[in-house]
Amino acid sequence: MPKIPATIVTGFLGAGKTTLIRHLLQNAGGRRIALIINEFGDLGVDGGILKGCGIESCSDDDVVELSNGCICCTVADDFIPTMEALLARETPPDHIVIETSGLALPQPLVRAFNWPGLKTRVTVDGVVTVLDGPAVAAGTFAADVARIDAQRAADDGLDHETPLSELYADQVACADMIVVGKADLLGAETDALVARIRSEARHGVQVVPATMGALPVEVVLGRGQGAEDDLAARHELHHHHDHDEDDDHHHDDHAHEHGHDAFESFTVEAPEIDDPAAFAARISEIIRDHGILRLKGFASVAGRPMRLTIQAVGPRVDHYFDRPLGSDARGARLVVIGQAGLDRAAITQALQQTADAPTYA
């Protein structure tokens, strides 16, 4: 049985996690998404917002609120039973999205996926860290630090005072994808900030600016990272815990004419290929050269009756034969997804040159 993918969405209070998740639910495209929200105290704001979202793919049973405190502190007695109950349903979800509280560390949560009851049935599809772009640019990490401090002060279960800078570093270190939120408020500073964060993150981590959480769903979900298997790469600065309940700033008030327009996708038709491994290496090179976020599609291989499936997330390219070609035309059909402004002509030309030898411009 294939494992159910789970996406962990982390980031500080007010960074825009709820906005991103609402966007995912509204554009789920028929996927049944279950949502686990890490709330505590009597606020329950996110749950209320999302339960009232009126999206058909998001019924009330699919929103589970953890209300016993910070998710990374209550992994064994709260999070794991919740996950086991979701997996035990007659129709388990297609995808699980977990929103952590702003001051929860992502690493202990990823580690929990190695728990015996979960390991064989669910996998961490990716850790997505949402940053407040203008706050990070200003060096404060969160839009309303006083509000976070007030929440810390109100929390009796708080063990440690971790500086925001360390929590921020942990959230960046664990991420597979970093969303720089409120890009509309950053304006011309966006590119410099994206470049700076990319230099702080692990190699190959995608850093993408967004406005109102409007990212293509297939860029966020279906990453297939298997994060629980490479914890060593996701260094933690510290091993103590913090708590904080988490609702999002009403950034929704900003006019957002440019959500999806910030991204584009197009299809490339190419001749059939000779060598899948060489083609995958070449795709990886094209992705790096052009900053492509996702590339997926099918190809025929000379002399082979099977269809080759190609899936790339960032520079990692997976390819496998999935079924006989049957009546499908031979050749390749590849869908490219990235930020607006991709050099379509250059990418198309590069993908259509299926020569095994890489070409160096």
Side-chain angles (χ1 to χ4, degrees), residues 95-311:
H95 203 108
I96 300 168
V97 173
I98 300 158
E99 180 185 0
T100 71
S101 98
L103 297 183
L105 300 170
Q107 286 86 348
L109 187 55
V110 174
R111 202 171 288 124
F113 282 78
N114 287 311
W115 192 269
L118 300 185
K119 178 79 182 159
T120 54
R121 308 189 49 202
V122 65
T123 177
V124 181
D125 181 64
V127 177
V128 178
T129 295
V130 183
L131 304 181
D132 182 321
V136 173
T140 57
F141 306 111
D144 193 341
V145 176
R147 199 158 135 252
I148 292 177
D149 286 338
Q151 286 182 325
R152 285 184 174 183
D155 176 12
D156 306 330
L158 190 61
D159 307 329
H160 300 277
E161 282 288 316
T162 309
L164 284 190
S165 57
E166 283 188 28
L167 277 163
Y168 166 86
D170 262 357
Q171 291 175 355
V172 167
C174 198
D176 295 297
M177 177 177 194
I178 297 172
V179 177
V180 180
K182 309 182 191 176
D184 52 330
L185 305 184
L186 272 173
E189 295 172 72
T190 305
D191 291 350
L193 181 63
V194 165
R196 191 189 104 199
I197 292 167
R198 195 170 282 135
S199 71
E200 294 170 2
R202 291 177 303 133
H203 181 66
V205 169
Q206 293 179 337
V207 181
V208 186
T211 294
M212 296 302 302
L215 286 168
V217 172
E218 59 270 42
V219 168
V220 182
L221 304 183
R223 300 182 63 84
Q225 306 278 169
E228 68 276 14
D229 295 326
D230 75 339
L231 272 158
R234 298 161 191 266
H235 302 300
E236 286 164 278
L237 285 179
H238 47 77
H239 299 278
H240 47 245
H241 284 39
D242 263 321
H243 303 276
D244 137 53
E245 67 271 350
D246 183 20
D247 69 296
D248 271 330
H249 269 322
H250 297 291
H251 180 55
D252 309 37
D253 305 336
H254 292 288
H256 61 289
E257 316 77 60
H258 47 265
H260 270 297
D261 311 343
F263 298 89
E264 59 176 309
S265 69
F266 60 94
T267 303
V268 175
E269 304 272 355
E272 72 173 17
I273 64 176
D274 297 325
D275 175 348
F279 190 56
R282 181 162 175 64
I283 285 177
S284 183
E285 197 180 286
I286 294 167
I287 285 171
R288 268 197 300 270
D289 291 349
H290 293 277
I292 293 166
L293 294 173
R294 286 294 299 253
L295 189 150
K296 56 189 182 177
F298 307 103
S300 61
V301 177
R304 297 291 297 268
M306 298 291 284
R307 181 176 81 164
L308 186 73
T309 294
I310 296 155
Q311 284 272 10

